Amino acid sequence: MLDTAQPVRRTPGRDTARPARRRRRPRSGPYLLILPALVVIGVLLIWPVVQISRMSFEKVGVRQLRGEPAENVGLANYRQILGDGFFWTTFRHTVLFAVVAVAATLLVGTLVGLLINRLGRRMSAFVAGGVLIAWATPPITAAIIFSWLFGTTGGLVNWFLDLLPNALVGSGWASYNWFATPLPTYTVLTICVVWMSFPFVAVSVLAGLRTVPRELYEAARVDGSNAWHGFWRITFPLLRPIFGVLLALSVIWDFRVFTQLFVMSGLANRDAFNLSLYGYSEAFGSLNARYGLGSAIAVVLTLIVLIVTAMYARMVIRQEGAA
């Protein structure tokens, strides 16, 4: 049987072969752009952390800073601080203060953000700019202000409490020392930190509220929901990522509070130490400086913050995967 199939004519000059795919060359431009930032982070953050981690395994004092070689003591510094009861006292102060301060900061900041969102455009801008002044205040300035407000000499708080009836607040407020014992000290510290931190939370919540469609709230009001239900059924679920970031940042900031407590209480009141002040006192607080021991305390504090942050990040990733 003859093959009657006609041969396929190829158009001259036309290449029927598929062009080979070119391999995409890695672009070095983006990496060169972020290289200066990486160098700054490495010099100002990573290198000091590496040095502190190395010093935490050594016996480092004034003699070693003068040029004598440091003695490697292994885990002796960590065993000493973990076996010291005072370390666990400062750890308890740090955790309790962070829990109270973070909760109060998020609560006050959220309420202020909801309030500003209900104001007009000009008034909300004015109030937001006013509260940001507290957030922009340097920690040492805020600590001095609150030390003066709660001071025993000319303190406005003691003067005002002394004017109130004794049956309401008691007596002896004119000479009351707020920084003599841990509980009053941390009360003033919490007020100071919340005053400084809530504006950032308020403005962040306000920015998130501006992205929520108003139609959702109108539909909720038609269904009979009040403001409380509207917050938990609309606002909070939509702003959950923002609240998560604010929670993580507040935990990191409040766990390592140092300047305010140092100005208010100093190194004389050891009963009110937290981990940051404890590490500073061991490293720089006396003539017999123990930089290795202070470095070990700093490493432990850093690990605690990293663990809390990693736990939160893992929880957020799981929630996003489930959604």
Side-chain angles (χ1 to χ4, degrees), residues 137-169:
T137 302
I140 189 170
T141 304
I144 293 174
I145 291 173
F146 278 85
S147 298
W148 172 67
L149 289 174
F150 289 86
T152 56
T153 304
L156 291 180
V157 175
N158 288 357
W159 172 78
F160 176 75
L161 292 175
D162 193 56
L163 291 179
L164 297 177
N166 294 339
L168 184 63
V169 295

mmCIF file of all heavy atoms in Angstrom, residues 137-169:
data_model
loop_
_atom_site.group_PDB
_atom_site.id
_atom_site.type_symbol
_atom_site.label_atom_id
_atom_site.label_comp_id
_atom_site.label_asym_id
_atom_site.label_seq_id
_atom_site.Cartn_x
_atom_site.Cartn_y
_atom_site.Cartn_z
ATOM 1 N N THR A 137 9.084 61.210 74.719
ATOM 2 C CA THR A 137 9.883 61.649 75.855
ATOM 3 C C THR A 137 10.976 60.619 76.147
ATOM 4 O O THR A 137 10.696 59.423 76.252
ATOM 5 C CB THR A 137 9.002 61.812 77.097
ATOM 6 O OG1 THR A 137 7.958 62.743 76.811
ATOM 7 C CG2 THR A 137 9.814 62.310 78.279
ATOM 8 N N PRO A 138 12.229 61.025 76.290
ATOM 9 C CA PRO A 138 13.292 60.071 76.620
ATOM 10 C C PRO A 138 13.037 59.391 77.960
ATOM 11 O O PRO A 138 12.450 59.992 78.874
ATOM 12 C CB PRO A 138 14.552 60.948 76.669
ATOM 13 C CG PRO A 138 14.211 62.148 75.861
ATOM 14 C CD PRO A 138 12.756 62.381 76.058
ATOM 15 N N PRO A 139 13.432 58.126 78.108
ATOM 16 C CA PRO A 139 13.183 57.404 79.370
ATOM 17 C C PRO A 139 13.770 58.099 80.590
ATOM 18 O O PRO A 139 13.145 58.119 81.653
ATOM 19 C CB PRO A 139 13.829 56.036 79.120
ATOM 20 C CG PRO A 139 13.819 55.869 77.648
ATOM 21 C CD PRO A 139 14.018 57.245 77.084
ATOM 22 N N ILE A 140 14.960 58.662 80.466
ATOM 23 C CA ILE A 140 15.568 59.301 81.629
ATOM 24 C C ILE A 140 14.794 60.553 82.021
ATOM 25 O O ILE A 140 14.649 60.861 83.222
ATOM 26 C CB ILE A 140 17.054 59.629 81.341
ATOM 27 C CG1 ILE A 140 17.742 60.100 82.620
ATOM 28 C CG2 ILE A 140 17.190 60.648 80.225
ATOM 29 C CD1 ILE A 140 19.235 60.210 82.475
ATOM 30 N N THR A 141 14.252 61.265 81.040
ATOM 31 C CA THR A 141 13.441 62.442 81.348
ATOM 32 C C THR A 141 12.155 62.046 82.050
ATOM 33 O O THR A 141 11.748 62.665 83.047
ATOM 34 C CB THR A 141 13.127 63.216 80.064
ATOM 35 O OG1 THR A 141 14.349 63.551 79.402
ATOM 36 C CG2 THR A 141 12.349 64.477 80.365
ATOM 37 N N ALA A 142 11.494 61.014 81.545
ATOM 38 C CA ALA A 142 10.267 60.537 82.183
ATOM 39 C C ALA A 142 10.535 60.039 83.597
ATOM 40 O O ALA A 142 9.735 60.275 84.514
ATOM 41 C CB ALA A 142 9.639 59.427 81.338
ATOM 42 N N ALA A 143 11.659 59.349 83.791
ATOM 43 C CA ALA A 143 11.987 58.851 85.132
ATOM 44 C C ALA A 143 12.213 59.994 86.112
ATOM 45 O O ALA A 143 11.785 59.936 87.270
ATOM 46 C CB ALA A 143 13.221 57.954 85.055
ATOM 47 N N ILE A 144 12.882 61.046 85.672
ATOM 48 C CA ILE A 144 13.111 62.199 86.549
ATOM 49 C C ILE A 144 11.789 62.887 86.886
ATOM 50 O O ILE A 144 11.552 63.304 88.035
ATOM 51 C CB ILE A 144 14.097 63.174 85.878
ATOM 52 C CG1 ILE A 144 15.482 62.538 85.779
ATOM 53 C CG2 ILE A 144 14.174 64.485 86.650
ATOM 54 C CD1 ILE A 144 16.485 63.365 84.995
ATOM 55 N N ILE A 145 10.910 62.999 85.894
ATOM 56 C CA ILE A 145 9.610 63.644 86.130
ATOM 57 C C ILE A 145 8.809 62.878 87.177
ATOM 58 O O ILE A 145 8.263 63.466 88.130
ATOM 59 C CB ILE A 145 8.822 63.751 84.812
ATOM 60 C CG1 ILE A 145 9.501 64.753 83.870
ATOM 61 C CG2 ILE A 145 7.373 64.162 85.075
ATOM 62 C CD1 ILE A 145 8.887 64.800 82.489
ATOM 63 N N PHE A 146 8.732 61.556 87.043
ATOM 64 C CA PHE A 146 7.946 60.770 87.982
ATOM 65 C C PHE A 146 8.634 60.657 89.343
ATOM 66 O O PHE A 146 7.951 60.528 90.359
ATOM 67 C CB PHE A 146 7.659 59.381 87.396
ATOM 68 C CG PHE A 146 6.495 59.367 86.456
ATOM 69 C CD1 PHE A 146 6.652 59.691 85.121
ATOM 70 C CD2 PHE A 146 5.233 59.039 86.908
ATOM 71 C CE1 PHE A 146 5.575 59.684 84.251
ATOM 72 C CE2 PHE A 146 4.146 59.025 86.053
ATOM 73 C CZ PHE A 146 4.313 59.361 84.717
ATOM 74 N N SER A 147 9.953 60.701 89.359
ATOM 75 C CA SER A 147 10.648 60.736 90.650
ATOM 76 C C SER A 147 10.329 62.023 91.397
ATOM 77 O O SER A 147 10.197 62.020 92.630
ATOM 78 C CB SER A 147 12.162 60.613 90.430
ATOM 79 O OG SER A 147 12.480 59.377 89.832
ATOM 80 N N TRP A 148 10.188 63.112 90.674
ATOM 81 C CA TRP A 148 9.825 64.380 91.300
ATOM 82 C C TRP A 148 8.357 64.371 91.737
ATOM 83 O O TRP A 148 8.019 64.848 92.823
ATOM 84 C CB TRP A 148 10.091 65.524 90.332
ATOM 85 C CG TRP A 148 9.571 66.837 90.822
ATOM 86 C CD1 TRP A 148 10.027 67.546 91.896
ATOM 87 C CD2 TRP A 148 8.489 67.579 90.269
ATOM 88 N NE1 TRP A 148 9.294 68.705 92.040
ATOM 89 C CE2 TRP A 148 8.344 68.754 91.047
ATOM 90 C CE3 TRP A 148 7.645 67.383 89.186
ATOM 91 C CZ2 TRP A 148 7.380 69.706 90.782
ATOM 92 C CZ3 TRP A 148 6.688 68.334 88.913
ATOM 93 C CH2 TRP A 148 6.552 69.481 89.711
ATOM 94 N N LEU A 149 7.475 63.824 90.899
ATOM 95 C CA LEU A 149 6.054 63.796 91.234
ATOM 96 C C LEU A 149 5.784 62.977 92.498
ATOM 97 O O LEU A 149 4.945 63.340 93.323
ATOM 98 C CB LEU A 149 5.246 63.226 90.066
ATOM 99 C CG LEU A 149 5.115 64.103 88.821
ATOM 100 C CD1 LEU A 149 4.407 63.340 87.715
ATOM 101 C CD2 LEU A 149 4.369 65.390 89.138
ATOM 102 N N PHE A 150 6.508 61.868 92.651
ATOM 103 C CA PHE A 150 6.296 60.977 93.791
ATOM 104 C C PHE A 150 7.375 61.150 94.859
ATOM 105 O O PHE A 150 7.507 60.294 95.734
ATOM 106 C CB PHE A 150 6.274 59.518 93.329
ATOM 107 C CG PHE A 150 5.044 59.150 92.549
ATOM 108 C CD1 PHE A 150 4.971 59.366 91.186
ATOM 109 C CD2 PHE A 150 3.951 58.575 93.188
ATOM 110 C CE1 PHE A 150 3.839 59.023 90.467
ATOM 111 C CE2 PHE A 150 2.813 58.230 92.479
ATOM 112 C CZ PHE A 150 2.754 58.455 91.108
ATOM 113 N N GLY A 151 8.142 62.202 94.799
ATOM 114 C CA GLY A 151 9.209 62.418 95.764
ATOM 115 C C GLY A 151 8.695 62.863 97.122
ATOM 116 O O GLY A 151 7.573 63.353 97.266
ATOM 117 N N THR A 152 9.535 62.664 98.131
ATOM 118 C CA THR A 152 9.156 63.061 99.491
ATOM 119 C C THR A 152 9.343 64.548 99.735
ATOM 120 O O THR A 152 8.781 65.107 100.680
ATOM 121 C CB THR A 152 10.013 62.286 100.507
ATOM 122 O OG1 THR A 152 11.403 62.517 100.228
ATOM 123 C CG2 THR A 152 9.721 60.795 100.430
ATOM 124 N N THR A 153 10.115 65.213 98.897
ATOM 125 C CA THR A 153 10.350 66.657 99.036
ATOM 126 C C THR A 153 9.693 67.382 97.871
ATOM 127 O O THR A 153 10.198 67.374 96.752
ATOM 128 C CB THR A 153 11.859 66.961 99.049
ATOM 129 O OG1 THR A 153 12.483 66.208 100.095
ATOM 130 C CG2 THR A 153 12.098 68.441 99.283
ATOM 131 N N GLY A 154 8.557 67.989 98.147
ATOM 132 C CA GLY A 154 7.866 68.748 97.112
ATOM 133 C C GLY A 154 7.131 67.914 96.103
ATOM 134 O O GLY A 154 6.760 68.427 95.033
ATOM 135 N N GLY A 155 6.905 66.627 96.372
ATOM 136 C CA GLY A 155 6.187 65.785 95.436
ATOM 137 C C GLY A 155 4.710 66.135 95.371
ATOM 138 O O GLY A 155 4.037 66.250 96.405
ATOM 139 N N LEU A 156 4.199 66.293 94.163
ATOM 140 C CA LEU A 156 2.797 66.679 94.015
ATOM 141 C C LEU A 156 1.850 65.573 94.449
ATOM 142 O O LEU A 156 0.764 65.850 94.979
ATOM 143 C CB LEU A 156 2.523 67.053 92.547
ATOM 144 C CG LEU A 156 3.183 68.334 92.043
ATOM 145 C CD1 LEU A 156 2.830 68.576 90.586
ATOM 146 C CD2 LEU A 156 2.761 69.533 92.886
ATOM 147 N N VAL A 157 2.233 64.323 94.231
ATOM 148 C CA VAL A 157 1.356 63.215 94.606
ATOM 149 C C VAL A 157 1.201 63.146 96.119
ATOM 150 O O VAL A 157 0.078 63.023 96.646
ATOM 151 C CB VAL A 157 1.901 61.893 94.041
ATOM 152 C CG1 VAL A 157 1.061 60.707 94.531
ATOM 153 C CG2 VAL A 157 1.912 61.931 92.518
ATOM 154 N N ASN A 158 2.309 63.215 96.846
ATOM 155 C CA ASN A 158 2.226 63.202 98.307
ATOM 156 C C ASN A 158 1.465 64.419 98.836
ATOM 157 O O ASN A 158 0.696 64.323 99.800
ATOM 158 C CB ASN A 158 3.627 63.173 98.914
ATOM 159 C CG ASN A 158 4.289 61.821 98.718
ATOM 160 O OD1 ASN A 158 3.680 60.891 98.187
ATOM 161 N ND2 ASN A 158 5.522 61.706 99.141
ATOM 162 N N TRP A 159 1.670 65.572 98.229
ATOM 163 C CA TRP A 159 0.958 66.784 98.652
ATOM 164 C C TRP A 159 -0.541 66.636 98.445
ATOM 165 O O TRP A 159 -1.339 66.987 99.319
ATOM 166 C CB TRP A 159 1.487 67.968 97.863
ATOM 167 C CG TRP A 159 0.707 69.230 98.078
ATOM 168 C CD1 TRP A 159 0.775 70.075 99.134
ATOM 169 C CD2 TRP A 159 -0.281 69.751 97.191
ATOM 170 N NE1 TRP A 159 -0.110 71.117 98.976
ATOM 171 C CE2 TRP A 159 -0.772 70.944 97.790
ATOM 172 C CE3 TRP A 159 -0.801 69.350 95.964
ATOM 173 C CZ2 TRP A 159 -1.760 71.715 97.182
ATOM 174 C CZ3 TRP A 159 -1.771 70.123 95.366
ATOM 175 C CH2 TRP A 159 -2.243 71.290 95.974
ATOM 176 N N PHE A 160 -0.948 66.059 97.291
ATOM 177 C CA PHE A 160 -2.372 65.889 97.011
ATOM 178 C C PHE A 160 -2.992 64.839 97.930
ATOM 179 O O PHE A 160 -4.099 65.037 98.455
ATOM 180 C CB PHE A 160 -2.554 65.491 95.545
ATOM 181 C CG PHE A 160 -3.975 65.199 95.177
ATOM 182 C CD1 PHE A 160 -4.887 66.222 95.016
ATOM 183 C CD2 PHE A 160 -4.396 63.891 95.005
ATOM 184 C CE1 PHE A 160 -6.208 65.953 94.681
ATOM 185 C CE2 PHE A 160 -5.711 63.613 94.665
ATOM 186 C CZ PHE A 160 -6.622 64.656 94.504
ATOM 187 N N LEU A 161 -2.307 63.710 98.146
ATOM 188 C CA LEU A 161 -2.847 62.674 99.026
ATOM 189 C C LEU A 161 -2.941 63.161 100.471
ATOM 190 O O LEU A 161 -3.841 62.748 101.219
ATOM 191 C CB LEU A 161 -1.968 61.422 98.954
ATOM 192 C CG LEU A 161 -1.991 60.663 97.627
ATOM 193 C CD1 LEU A 161 -0.985 59.522 97.659
ATOM 194 C CD2 LEU A 161 -3.387 60.133 97.310
ATOM 195 N N ASP A 162 -2.018 64.037 100.877
ATOM 196 C CA ASP A 162 -2.064 64.555 102.236
ATOM 197 C C ASP A 162 -3.244 65.501 102.440
ATOM 198 O O ASP A 162 -3.710 65.686 103.570
ATOM 199 C CB ASP A 162 -0.748 65.266 102.549
ATOM 200 C CG ASP A 162 -0.591 65.559 104.034
ATOM 201 O OD1 ASP A 162 -0.678 64.602 104.826
ATOM 202 O OD2 ASP A 162 -0.395 66.734 104.386
ATOM 203 N N LEU A 163 -3.744 66.106 101.351
ATOM 204 C CA LEU A 163 -4.899 66.992 101.450
ATOM 205 C C LEU A 163 -6.210 66.241 101.603
ATOM 206 O O LEU A 163 -7.188 66.796 102.114
ATOM 207 C CB LEU A 163 -4.982 67.893 100.208
ATOM 208 C CG LEU A 163 -3.897 68.958 100.045
ATOM 209 C CD1 LEU A 163 -4.117 69.736 98.761
ATOM 210 C CD2 LEU A 163 -3.858 69.906 101.243
ATOM 211 N N LEU A 164 -6.248 64.981 101.155
ATOM 212 C CA LEU A 164 -7.480 64.198 101.228
ATOM 213 C C LEU A 164 -7.780 63.805 102.668
ATOM 214 O O LEU A 164 -6.876 63.749 103.511
ATOM 215 C CB LEU A 164 -7.361 62.954 100.349
ATOM 216 C CG LEU A 164 -7.174 63.206 98.850
ATOM 217 C CD1 LEU A 164 -7.000 61.888 98.108
ATOM 218 C CD2 LEU A 164 -8.342 63.992 98.268
ATOM 219 N N PRO A 165 -9.033 63.514 102.983
ATOM 220 C CA PRO A 165 -9.387 63.111 104.358
ATOM 221 C C PRO A 165 -8.655 61.839 104.767
ATOM 222 O O PRO A 165 -8.469 60.912 103.964
ATOM 223 C CB PRO A 165 -10.902 62.889 104.284
ATOM 224 C CG PRO A 165 -11.356 63.689 103.099
ATOM 225 C CD PRO A 165 -10.227 63.653 102.126
ATOM 226 N N ASN A 166 -8.243 61.785 106.033
ATOM 227 C CA ASN A 166 -7.534 60.608 106.538
ATOM 228 C C ASN A 166 -8.409 59.362 106.511
ATOM 229 O O ASN A 166 -7.909 58.244 106.370
ATOM 230 C CB ASN A 166 -7.046 60.867 107.957
ATOM 231 C CG ASN A 166 -5.997 61.959 108.011
ATOM 232 O OD1 ASN A 166 -5.352 62.260 107.005
ATOM 233 N ND2 ASN A 166 -5.824 62.580 109.171
ATOM 234 N N ALA A 167 -9.700 59.533 106.636
ATOM 235 C CA ALA A 167 -10.595 58.376 106.597
ATOM 236 C C ALA A 167 -10.634 57.738 105.218
ATOM 237 O O ALA A 167 -10.999 56.567 105.080
ATOM 238 C CB ALA A 167 -12.009 58.802 107.020
ATOM 239 N N LEU A 168 -10.241 58.498 104.198
ATOM 240 C CA LEU A 168 -10.284 57.984 102.828
ATOM 241 C C LEU A 168 -8.970 57.342 102.402
ATOM 242 O O LEU A 168 -8.957 56.245 101.830
ATOM 243 C CB LEU A 168 -10.645 59.121 101.872
ATOM 244 C CG LEU A 168 -10.816 58.746 100.398
ATOM 245 C CD1 LEU A 168 -11.974 57.765 100.230
ATOM 246 C CD2 LEU A 168 -11.052 60.002 99.555
ATOM 247 N N VAL A 169 -7.845 57.990 102.666
ATOM 248 C CA VAL A 169 -6.546 57.503 102.198
ATOM 249 C C VAL A 169 -5.550 57.295 103.324
ATOM 250 O O VAL A 169 -4.412 56.873 103.076
ATOM 251 C CB VAL A 169 -5.946 58.479 101.162
ATOM 252 C CG1 VAL A 169 -6.802 58.534 99.913
ATOM 253 C CG2 VAL A 169 -5.762 59.858 101.770
#
